[in-house]
Structures are given as C-alpha cells and as structure tokens.
Amino acid sequence: MPFLTIYTNTELKDGKKLAEKASALTADVLGKPISYVVANVIYNPNMAFGGRSANKGALVELVSIGLGNKDKLVEGLTSLLEAELNIEEVNNINISLNNAPASQVASGGRTFE
C-alpha cells in the first residue's frame, strides 16, 4: 500500500506510462508488492513553481506504511520526473513523504493493523 500522487504543470505525453514507471520504482525501493501500489498522475496547468506558472515542476505526495530508504526513493522519483517531464530546474520537483501507521491505512475494506 503505497499511495503515490504526482501533480505537474507539465503536459503529459503518456500519463499512464509515467504512473506505471513510478509504481515500479516505488515498489522496488520500498520492498512492497507492486500489487499494493496506487499511483495517480494529475496534470494541472494552474500550478506555479517559484511564483511563476511558466516554471515547470512537480509536487509528489507519498503515503506508505514504512518508507525504507527515503534518500534512494527521493533520488529515484526526482530522476524519473526530471527525465519523463523534462523538468529543467530540479528544485521544482518537491516530494512529501508520509509514514502512516498501519492502523490509519485501509485497503479492501480493512486496515493493515
């Protein structure tokens, strides 16, 4: 159960492909079955980075029970988004990591505790 949401103001060539790549990377780094990963890619042209909507970037939110090697995860997601979305300024890729207790996460009608 990692829940990954990627918001970007960069037009998507293939959002499905990006969601699949991000899912695989997240599952691999976190050591979770890919069947538990949910990835959502949202294009929003109304986003501004550094106060300007012309600046291309991404905001990523990840909720997971356990985050493992956070640095490796952040590096991997940043590299993926930089390449896939052609984001020139790496500081415009912002990632929020949320380590959720199992009692606060549910799937299939029940919590993970």
Side-chain angles (χ1 to χ4, degrees):
M1 139 357 310
F3 304 139
L4 179 70
T5 305
I6 301 168
Y7 303 93
T8 184
N9 63 351
T10 301
E11 288 191 48
L12 301 168
K13 294 178 186 171
D14 190 346
K16 292 177 185 178
K17 181 179 172 184
L18 178 56
E20 290 173 355
K21 286 183 175 183
S23 293
L25 183 141
T26 301
D28 181 55
V29 174
L30 295 180
K32 309 263 184 183
I34 198 163
S35 60
Y36 283 156
V37 178
V38 178
N40 188 13
V41 179
I42 300 169
Y43 168 62
N44 180 358
N46 300 316
M47 298 177 76
F49 292 87
R52 301 202 44 204
S53 60
N55 294 339
K56 300 302 179 190
L59 171 62
V60 180
E61 295 177 333
L62 175 67
V63 177
S64 180
I65 300 169
L67 293 171
N69 187 337
K70 292 184 277 191
D71 289 336
K72 184 176 179 182
L73 181 61
V74 167
E75 289 171 11
L77 287 171
T78 299
S79 294
L80 176 69
L81 296 174
E82 185 179 21
E84 292 291 320
L85 298 175
N86 296 314
I87 296 174
E88 295 176 11
E89 179 55 55
V90 74
N91 288 333
N92 290 343
I93 300 173
N94 300 278
I95 301 173
S96 174
L97 303 172
N98 300 293
N99 188 0
S103 63
Q104 299 298 312
V105 180
S107 180
R110 62 181 204 256
T111 64
F112 281 89
E113 73 177 339

